[in-house]
């Protein structure tokens, strides 16, 4: 994907666009060949309007200097109408929802004349009905003669939207199939190379011992806006508590508040009977909170450090990593080898940098690290985001095993199947408030999705 | 900042020789560029370099190179402590000068006798350097002021404060030279006759410098504090999530950097001039920045860099005998730093790519069988 968009050079092989071979050195080359990319993480400037975001970097000029906004607005209107995107050019991006932002991203690449669109995990941040809208848009684009490369981990979506499916595993093409001829089970088997995992947990292991108790937690941003408001819940030992919600509704802030990375305005946190509200992050970690962060590159790993140093990260006060003020190299290295072994981290050794591992293997290393040292509570933020199905199954297995052994898990995810499958209790968060309690045993992803968008604010 | 230290002194992974090759290539490149400059100026490069080399290998020059090198090395260490955490302590210069003024004033007053006076002078210098640097650290933590800006400002203030202290409080006029009262003979750091064939003694502080280098390596690589410092330097967000108090680390690191900076002037003060005057070496803090870059924060690398720098500085005067401007040496120093940075970056990228290839190759090998299965 990075190669197609000119961000990385291929070692061998060739790319043909409309039959003629091309070589891309930079994304600009790819754009001029008509290839546009919609990134998984939106690349938009929040405080600019849609119009300004779209023209950013390829502003139409008038008389050499002045920006020709009128012409740009006209062109955006034309494109938006032609493909039925319904984009309003003069709204600031910060006022838009996720689905709208994605349409702006698509419009951005169309504006630059792209005829081939690469969409990287476009549905990761969308709720089901937004996904439907996106697919309608995509079908419209295809009708107009555009080519779309749709990259996704979600099989049902691929089956619904694609005209042809190519399965890639470990960087190699495994198979190219027609969606009419395959079931999602068959497709999944192609992806994993073995049988299909499922997030379902078996019997309940919930005990009545409360591990973490959160009472009336409120978190405000620097400008006083509440991002988490009066949130209360208990997680028992052996329980997985899932928090469902469209991203950006306070989940990240909630997690950071529990981890002590962000000050709470009000509320009390109790871990195993001890009031931890005023504990530092380090003390909370040492007190038995494991943390699988949402963004492993930013919060979970030192990418340019070897695996064994990453084993120490976040556990730098505990054995086997340290002895008093000294780093215990031998201890940390031996334990890293154990994690690599037990959690099936595919790596040639523990001295390679974390950056060289695939996302799934990085995540397995983090899961293994956070499960070490007998945690009482595990905060798992999007534990399987951006990892391959094999790693996903392994991570689910580890979560289930730990849960059976009495671990309390706070699970935050955008993957509704994962939430419904793993959780014992499920709460819906919207604009920083818990708006619904849902029984994971009899709820469909569609129902959950509408609860998340506030469509039905009553208890499902 | 990437962990060069880990590459050279830690586990030598893929081709440790690369890390050594980079500075060597950079120096060779710098010699080439300088030769071109010399040729353009109509001078003979070979002759110039032979003169430099001849001078640098005489026993007397070697002792002098070591003496200047000791100060350069301590300065580089002070800078490197901050660099490892992405803190740019540009204020090492002001810190060591202010520390030297206060220490010289105290030492000259001879409050305590003999060895105790040496200890007092050193402790005073360390404390003053640390406190002066702490100002920048606290400003950064509580007011969000970039330490680059604040330390540059503090350099200017240190200069003013130092002059004021010397002229109003510690100063005595010796001929034309206004300086602090000389430290009495019983509190001089003894020299070491390290190099045979010359009466020039090597400054006793060389021992302190070596110990500092060892301590720097041990603290950074083998202690929890050093781990947290390096982690913060590599990824502040990951450090926060891991429970490292970044604010505390910033202040502590600045204080450590300043404390080491306080020692920079000590070899000169206790082993050569015994007072602070207008002739006291200035600008060592900036030399330290260049050497820390050159040695890529590695204690051995910086030692080599300090000696190279010192050699160039000490022998530059000899070029005047050939009617070559001694400033050619500064060109060479500049080119060395620039090309070293580029060379390290290239080597670093090469290593990352090579390692990624190696990982995927080693992982791909045993996976061949199931893949073929799936394709069929």
């Amino acid at each position: 994907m990075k190669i197609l968009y000119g961000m990385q050079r291929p070692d061998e092989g060739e790319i043909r666009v409309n039959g003629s071979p091309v070589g891309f050195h930079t994304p600009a080359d790819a754009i001029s060949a008509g290839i546009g990319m919609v990134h998984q993480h939106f690349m938009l400037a929040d405080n600019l309007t849609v119009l300004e975001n779209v023209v950013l970097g390829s502003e139409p000029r008038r008389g050499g200097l002045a920006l020709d906004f009128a012409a740009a607005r006209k062109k955006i209107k034309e494109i938006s109408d032609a493909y039925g995107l319904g984009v309003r050019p003069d709204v600031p991006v910060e006022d838009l929802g996720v689905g709208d932002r994605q349409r702006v991203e698509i419009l951005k690449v169309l504006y630059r004349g792209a005829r081939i669109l690469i969409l990287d995990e476009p549905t990761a941040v969308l709720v089901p009905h937004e996904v439907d809208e996106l697919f309608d848009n995509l079908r419209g684009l295809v009708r107009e003669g555009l080519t779309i490369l749709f990259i996704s981990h979600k099989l049902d979506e691929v089956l619904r939207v694609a005209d042809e499916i190519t399965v890639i595993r470990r960087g190699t093409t495994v198979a190219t199939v027609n969606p009419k001829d395959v079931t999602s089970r068959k497709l999944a088997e192609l992806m994993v190379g073995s049988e299909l995992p499922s997030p379902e947990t078996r019997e309940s292991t919930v005990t009545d011992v409360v591990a973490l108790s959160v009472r009336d937690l409120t978190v405000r941003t620097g400008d006083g806006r509440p991002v988490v408001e009066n949130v209360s819940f208990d997680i028992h030992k052996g329980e997985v508590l899932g928090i469902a919600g469209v991203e950006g509704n306070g989940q990240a802030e909630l997690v950071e508040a529990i981890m002590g990375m962000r000050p709470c305005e009000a509320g009390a946190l109790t871990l195993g009977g001890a009031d931890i509200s005023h504990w530092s992050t380090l003390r909370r970690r040492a007190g038995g909170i494991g943390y699988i962060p949402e963004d492993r590159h930013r919060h979970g790993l030192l990418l340019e450090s070897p695996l064994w140093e990453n084993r120490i990260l976040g556990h730098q006060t505990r054995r086997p990593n340290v002895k008093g003020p000294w780093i215990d190299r031998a201890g940390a290295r031996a334990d890293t080898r154990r994690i690599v072994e037990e959690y099936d981290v595919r790596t040639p050794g523990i001295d390679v940098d974390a950056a060289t591992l695939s996302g799934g293997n990085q995540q397995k290393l983090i899961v293994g690290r956070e499960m070490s040292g007998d945690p009482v509570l595990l905060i798992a933020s999007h534990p399987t985001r951006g990892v391959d199905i094999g790693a996903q199954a392994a991570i689910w297995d580890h979560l289930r095993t730990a849960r059976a052994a009495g671990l309390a898990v706070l699970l935050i995810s955008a993957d509704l199947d994962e939430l419904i499958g793993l959780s014992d209790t499920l709460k819906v968060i919207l604009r920083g408030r818990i708006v619904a309690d849902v029984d994971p045993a009899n709820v469909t992803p569609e129902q959950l999705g509408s609860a998340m968008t506030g469509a039905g604010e009553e208890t499902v | 900042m990437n962990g060069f230290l880990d590459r050279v002194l830690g586990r030598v992974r893929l081709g440790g020789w690369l890390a050594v090759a980079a500075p060597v290539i950079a120096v060779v490149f710098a010699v080439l560029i300088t030769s071109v400059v010399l040729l353009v100026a109509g001078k003979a490069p070979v002759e110039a370099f032979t003169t430099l080399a001849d001078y640098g290998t005489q026993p007397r020059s070697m002792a002098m190179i070591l003496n200047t090198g000791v100060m350069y090395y301590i300065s580089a260490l002070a800078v490197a402590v901050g660099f490892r955490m992405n803190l740019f302590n540009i204020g090492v210069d002001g810190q060591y000068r202010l520390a030297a003024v206060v220490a010289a004033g105290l030492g000259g007053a001879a409050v305590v006798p003999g060895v105790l006076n040496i200890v007092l002078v050193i402790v005073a210098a360390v404390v003053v350097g640390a406190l002066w640097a702490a100002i920048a650290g606290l400003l950064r933590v509580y007011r969000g002021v970039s330490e680059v800006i604040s330390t540059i400002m503090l350099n200017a203030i240190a200069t003013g404060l130092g002059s004021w202290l010397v002229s109003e409080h510690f100063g005595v006029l010796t001929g034309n030279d206004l300086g602090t009262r000389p430290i009495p003979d019983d509190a001089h750091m003894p020299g070491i006759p390290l190099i045979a064939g010359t009466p020039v003694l090597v400054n006793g502080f060389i021992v302190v410098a070596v110990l500092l280098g060892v301590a720097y390596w041990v603290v950074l690589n083998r202690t929890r504090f050093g781990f947290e410092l390096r982690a913060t330097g590599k990824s502040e967000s990951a450090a926060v999530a891991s429970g490292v108090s970044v604010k505390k680390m910033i202040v502590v690191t600045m204080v450590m950097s300043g404390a080491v900076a306080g020692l920079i002037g000590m070899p000169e003060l206790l082993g050569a001039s015994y007072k602070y005057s207008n002739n006291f070496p200035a600008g060592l803090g900036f030399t330290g920045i260049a050497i820390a870059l050159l040695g890529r924060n590695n204690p051995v690398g910086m030692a080599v860099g300090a000696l190279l720098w010192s050699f160039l500085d000490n022998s530059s005067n000899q070029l005047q005998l050939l009617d070559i401007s001694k400033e050619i040496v500064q060109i060479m120093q500049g080119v060395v730093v620039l090309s070293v940075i580029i060379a390290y970056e290239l080597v670093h990228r090469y290593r990352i790519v090579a390692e990624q290839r190696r990982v995927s190759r080693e992982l791909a090998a045993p996976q061949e069988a199931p893949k073929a299965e799936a394709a069929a």
Side-chain angles (χ1 to χ4, degrees):
Chain A
M1 184 176 80
K2 280 186 179 163
I3 294 174
L4 281 185
Y5 195 54
M7 287 156 85
Q8 219 168 51
R9 302 287 309 278
D11 293 327
E12 283 169 37
E14 71 173 2
I15 304 170
R16 285 167 181 272
V17 174
N18 297 328
S20 48
V22 287
F24 301 143
H25 295 269
T26 63
D29 295 341
I31 291 169
S32 62
I35 296 181
M37 170 114 160
V38 178
H39 294 272
Q40 183 176 5
H41 302 286
F42 299 149
M43 313 254 179
L44 297 171
D46 277 357
N47 49 353
L48 299 183
T49 64
V50 169
L51 171 71
E52 288 163 336
N53 264 292
V54 170
V55 299
L56 195 65
S58 57
E59 297 88 347
R61 305 284 171 150
R62 194 172 45 195
L65 274 175
L67 293 182
D68 191 352
F69 279 120
R73 185 172 292 115
K74 191 159 156 275
K75 193 170 165 192
I76 289 174
K77 271 296 205 198
E78 277 171 23
I79 299 174
S80 173
D81 293 344
Y83 300 111
L85 294 174
V87 168
R88 291 161 297 162
D90 292 307
V91 185
V93 164
E94 58 189 348
D95 295 344
L96 295 181
V98 187
D100 285 327
R101 286 179 194 220
Q102 191 159 51
R103 278 189 282 279
V104 175
E105 283 281 6
I106 294 175
L107 200 138
K108 224 165 88 181
V109 295
L110 294 175
Y111 181 86
R112 283 161 178 70
R115 301 293 296 164
I116 301 171
L117 262 60
I118 306 173
L119 280 83
D120 178 19
E121 294 278 349
T123 59
V125 291
L126 302 180
V127 292
H129 78 85
E130 286 175 326
V131 172
D132 292 339
E133 283 173 27
L134 171 70
F135 286 180
D136 286 341
N137 291 146
L138 294 185
R139 290 195 191 97
L141 294 172
V142 172
R143 260 199 307 279
E144 298 297 322
L146 269 66
T147 307
I148 293 176
L149 191 59
F150 183 91
I151 297 162
S152 179
H153 279 113
K154 297 184 185 160
L155 308 178
D156 52 332
E157 292 175 355
V158 177
L159 283 169
R160 261 167 68 200
V161 78
D163 299 307
E164 186 182 88
I165 301 172
T166 295
V167 179
I168 295 182
R169 192 168 76 230
R170 285 194 191 56
T172 313
T173 305
V174 177
T176 295
V177 294
N178 187 322
K180 292 191 192 73
D181 305 340
V182 289
T183 61
S184 83
R185 203 177 176 82
K186 178 85 184 81
L187 201 55
E189 282 170 14
L190 284 174
M191 282 173 71
V192 199
S194 64
E195 74 199 69
L196 182 64
S198 97
E200 239 117 285
T201 49
R202 280 146 220 106
E203 70 282 8
S204 168
T205 56
V206 184
T207 63
D208 48 11
V209 186
V210 175
L212 175 80
S213 163
V214 176
R215 283 288 162 270
D216 302 320
L217 186 73
T218 299
V219 178
R220 285 175 198 279
T221 55
D223 50 16
R225 201 165 47 86
V227 278
V228 175
E229 225 179 335
N230 289 326
V231 168
S232 300
F233 55 79
D234 288 328
I235 311 180
H236 302 87
K237 287 191 150 195
E239 178 183 14
V240 176
L241 185 132
I243 302 270
V246 178
E247 264 177 81
N249 273 289
Q251 298 94 319
E253 290 79 6
L254 173 66
V255 166
E256 287 177 11
I258 298 175
M259 284 307 297
M261 292 155 65
R262 187 183 275 271
C264 324
E265 168 90 7
L269 295 169
T270 323
L271 181 73
D275 180 8
I276 62 163
S277 309
H278 300 286
W279 288 16
S280 67
T281 304
L282 194 62
R283 197 158 164 214
R284 292 181 198 203
R285 275 180 166 278
I289 303 186
Y291 176 38
I292 302 174
E294 170 179 353
D295 184 339
R296 55 179 164 267
H297 288 178
R298 268 174 58 75
H299 291 122
L301 294 168
L302 299 174
L303 288 172
E304 289 187 2
S305 293
L307 299 191
W308 69 269
E309 284 200 352
N310 275 288
R311 163 68 185 93
I312 304 175
L313 192 69
H315 299 247
Q316 65 270 33
T317 47
R318 279 173 273 169
R319 284 175 175 275
N321 301 322
V322 288
K323 279 184 187 150
W326 303 99
I327 294 283
D328 181 356
R329 284 172 87 102
R333 291 174 62 83
D335 202 59
T336 311
R337 266 185 226 108
R338 173 189 68 82
I339 292 175
V340 164
E341 186 93 356
E342 280 179 23
Y343 289 80
D344 187 31
V345 180
R346 308 267 165 86
T347 169
I350 59 168
D351 290 313
V352 300
D353 286 353
T356 56
L357 299 191
S358 72
N361 284 312
Q362 289 175 349
Q363 193 74 349
K364 282 190 274 187
L365 179 74
I366 293 178
V367 173
R369 176 180 78 195
E370 298 306 326
M371 296 276 198
S372 309
D374 292 325
V376 183
L377 169 74
L378 179 73
I379 300 178
S381 255
H382 306 279
T384 60
R385 166 174 289 175
V387 309
D388 58 278
I389 286 205
Q392 188 178 40
I395 291 170
W396 283 338
D397 271 341
H398 290 301
L399 288 179
R400 272 189 292 255
T401 316
R403 164 180 168 275
L407 180 72
V409 179
L410 176 65
L411 174 69
I412 286 154
S413 178
D415 181 341
L416 302 188
D417 293 324
E418 175 174 85
L419 276 173
I420 295 172
L422 284 180
S423 303
D424 296 299
T425 318
L426 197 49
K427 288 179 185 294
V428 178
I429 192 170
L430 180 67
R431 285 180 221 103
R433 293 165 161 275
I434 300 287
V435 293
D437 286 306
V438 176
D439 179 4
N442 42 34
V443 66
T444 64
E446 286 68 28
Q447 286 169 327
L448 192 54
S450 62
M452 283 159 57
T453 48
E457 291 209 359
E458 77 285 4
T459 304
V460 181
Chain B
M1 291 283 138
N2 38 64
F4 174 63
L5 212 57
D6 302 332
R7 292 206 285 281
V8 170
L9 285 185
R11 232 135 301 280
V12 178
R13 303 200 287 272
L14 177 103
W17 60 272
L18 277 172
V20 180
V24 172
I25 293 168
V27 169
V28 170
F29 184 69
V31 168
L32 287 177
I33 295 276
T34 317
S35 306
V36 171
V37 174
L38 284 170
L39 283 175
V40 169
K43 315 286 182 193
V46 178
E47 205 180 342
F49 288 118
T50 349
T51 310
L52 286 181
D54 280 351
Y55 176 81
T57 43
Q58 287 162 20
R60 182 175 170 279
S61 336
M62 273 155 61
M64 284 167 62
I65 289 169
L66 276 179
N67 284 342
T68 329
V70 164
M71 290 192 286
Y72 288 176
Y73 184 57
I74 300 176
S75 176
L77 285 176
V79 174
V81 170
F83 272 179
R84 288 308 296 269
M85 211 185 99
N86 273 357
L87 271 181
F88 291 82
N89 183 3
I90 311 295
V92 167
D93 209 61
Q95 288 147 19
Y96 92 81
R97 280 186 286 122
L98 192 64
V101 171
V102 176
L106 269 178
V111 208
V112 284
V115 179
L116 280 181
N117 202 3
I118 295 186
V119 174
L120 178 73
V121 165
I122 293 178
V123 168
V126 166
V127 169
V128 171
L131 288 178
W132 199 247
I135 298 174
L138 293 171
L139 278 174
R140 162 88 187 262
V141 167
Y142 289 108
R143 284 288 170 268
V145 182
S146 158
E147 77 283 359
V148 177
I149 308 292
S150 59
T151 50
I152 290 175
M153 304 289 193
L154 285 166
N155 278 346
I157 300 174
T159 306
L161 196 56
S163 312
W164 175 74
L165 282 175
V166 170
S167 57
E168 299 292 321
H169 291 279
F170 306 139
V172 284
L173 206 55
T174 325
N176 247 344
D177 189 26
L178 182 68
T180 58
R181 197 181 300 278
I183 294 173
D185 288 350
D186 61 354
H188 289 182
M189 188 81 162
I192 308 169
L194 201 62
I195 302 215
T198 170
V200 180
L201 295 177
V202 173
N203 198 304
F205 247 83
I206 195 166
V207 179
V208 177
V210 170
L211 290 177
L212 272 178
V214 173
Y216 168 89
W217 185 82
V218 170
V219 167
L220 277 175
N221 286 11
R222 293 296 162 107
T223 67
R224 194 188 124 197
F225 171 78
F227 177 81
E228 293 188 344
L229 187 147
R230 286 184 294 126
T232 314
K234 281 176 177 170
S235 167
E236 195 174 311
S237 51
V240 170
S242 309
V244 177
S245 165
V246 172
K247 288 184 171 181
K248 194 181 109 194
M249 290 303 291
I250 288 174
V251 176
V252 172
T253 308
M254 276 310 273
V255 165
M256 277 177 55
S257 178
V260 177
L263 293 171
I264 297 171
M266 294 302 103
E268 174 75 13
L269 185 64
L270 292 169
S273 69
Y274 310 115
K275 62 176 183 173
Y276 188 95
S277 70
N278 290 333
N279 297 328
F280 203 81
L284 295 180
F286 298 107
T287 311
I289 296 175
I291 294 168
L293 287 173
L294 192 62
R296 207 64 197 242
N297 305 329
N298 175 304
V300 177
M302 287 188 290
V304 175
L307 290 176
L308 175 69
W309 213 265
S310 169
F311 156 69
L312 289 173
D313 276 350
N314 275 297
S315 47
S316 63
N317 281 327
Q318 296 303 305
L319 291 175
Q320 286 166 337
L321 300 177
L322 298 172
D323 201 20
I324 298 174
S325 161
K326 65 183 228 177
E327 276 72 26
I328 193 79
V329 160
Q330 288 173 4
I331 295 183
M332 190 160 163
Q333 289 173 332
V335 178
V336 169
V337 171
L338 282 180
S339 42
V340 140
I341 292 171
I342 296 168
Y344 274 127
E345 193 49 41
L346 291 179
V347 165
H348 179 59
R349 284 188 202 171
Y350 170 79
R351 197 187 68 87
I352 287 183
V353 172
E355 189 166 285
Q356 262 162 358
R357 283 220 187 103
R358 187 171 65 96
V359 170
S360 50
R361 199 171 47 236
E362 286 183 23
L363 288 182
Q367 311 289 321
E368 288 306 332
K371 218 180 284 171
E373 213 170 273

